[in-house]
Amino acid sequence: MSLAVASVLVAGCGQDSDTVTSAATSEAAKAVPQKTTSTSPSPSGSATETLTAEQQKRKTVLDATKITYDEASTTAVGEVSGSTLVDLELGGLDDDEDASASPSASPSGSASPSGSASPSGSPSGSPSPSGSASASPSGSAPEWVAEVAEKDGTAHTVRIDAVTGKVIATEPDADQDADDKSELADLVSKATQKPAQAAKTATGKAKGTVTSINLDQNDDDVVVWAVDVIGKDWNKTSFEIDAEKGTIVKEEVDED
């Protein structure tokens, strides 16, 4: 009888030991950090990254735009025989207002990267392209607003639908006088580099979409092509490219 009881006790102790060991192993397993699978990063590097107001505006406008700057340039120059492009801006990116601009307003309302005015407000003294309409942030179709100059410096504004590529309006600059025309013609004659060459130089340094290109004279009296490029991160890089040598004079990145 005593032997049987002892056997039962030994067996019971073994079961209790196994139970305790199993429970301890289970608790230890719970304490080990579990691996988690991270979400795939967004194109800009973060799955939850929030765009700034300006970046969102750029994204909205460019998502709606179907006509590239070079297509708009070709269309604008084709509207005025023998003309040369001096200014081209995609409306809605730098506008302060979402409503259509007044006839005296420039398409962007901002200066070139150097802080000097665009060709239409520079040595030529002629006003910037008029009648620019705001782009997609307000729900309307984006527009390219171009200024082309004849050989004698007479400026014309050409507005182009940035979705269909159709010309919306073409009109001469009625505010130019003889001096304005002479100064603009002189500026154009100094630009041995064509706008397409300047755009290629800019995008060779910063990959992206050209949204603005204009002939200007910077603070150092150098004739330059001011070019804006929007990258995949929706930041804007502004260049000044020597319009005679084709070299980059200035580069600024706007990360707002």
Side-chain angles (χ1 to χ4, degrees):
M1 176 66 70
S2 296
L3 182 59
V5 171
S7 298
V8 170
L9 290 174
V10 171
C13 289
Q15 291 174 352
D16 289 343
S17 177
D18 290 342
T19 301
V20 171
T21 301
S22 176
T25 302
S26 177
E27 290 301 319
K30 293 180 180 178
V32 177
Q34 300 297 310
K35 292 183 178 180
T36 57
T37 303
S38 61
T39 56
S40 299
S42 65
S44 57
S46 172
T48 58
E49 184 175 357
T50 301
L51 299 178
T52 66
E54 288 301 312
Q55 289 171 333
Q56 184 59 57
K57 183 190 293 185
R58 294 166 192 152
K59 182 179 185 303
T60 301
V61 173
L62 290 180
D63 282 349
T65 299
K66 306 302 179 186
I67 303 301
T68 60
Y69 92 92
D70 51 332
E71 292 173 324
S73 173
T74 299
T75 298
V77 171
E79 280 294 294
V80 180
S81 179
S83 66
T84 300
L85 182 76
V86 294
D87 195 353
L88 181 63
E89 187 97 16
L90 181 59
L93 292 176
D94 298 311
D95 291 343
D96 292 330
E97 300 178 0
D98 285 336
S100 296
S102 63
S104 61
S106 70
S108 65
S110 61
S112 69
S114 66
S116 57
S118 65
S120 49
S122 63
S124 71
S126 59
S128 327
S130 60
S132 92
S134 234
S136 32
S138 62
S140 59
E143 293 180 12
W144 285 102
V145 181
E147 184 178 272
V148 297
E150 297 182 57
K151 290 182 179 181
D152 66 351
T154 300
H156 299 258
T157 297
V158 184
R159 294 170 55 215
I160 302 163
D161 189 306
V163 177
T164 65
K166 294 181 178 180
V167 174
I168 298 170
T170 301
E171 56 187 3
D173 187 344
D175 295 326
Q176 276 187 307
D177 59 23
D179 288 339
D180 294 335
K181 294 179 180 180
S182 176
E183 289 174 359
L184 183 55
D186 181 61
L187 190 68
V188 171
S189 69
K190 293 177 180 178
T192 55
Q193 290 283 311
K194 302 303 181 185
Q197 292 172 296
K200 184 177 181 179
T201 299
T203 54
K205 185 68 183 294
K207 302 297 182 183
T209 302
V210 175
T211 58
S212 174
I213 183 166
N214 65 84
L215 188 61
D216 201 357
Q217 187 165 328
N218 67 13
D219 294 336
D220 297 320
D221 293 328
V222 176
V223 178
V224 298
W225 284 106
V227 184
D228 286 345
V229 179
I230 306 298
K232 291 183 178 180
D233 55 4
W234 306 113
N235 290 330
K236 178 176 72 175
T237 304
S238 297
F239 293 93
E240 283 184 3
I241 298 169
D242 191 307
E244 295 181 80
K245 301 177 182 178
T247 55
I248 296 175
V249 176
K250 189 174 182 180
E251 176 181 351
E252 291 181 348
V253 179
D254 181 358
E255 297 182 346
D256 292 337

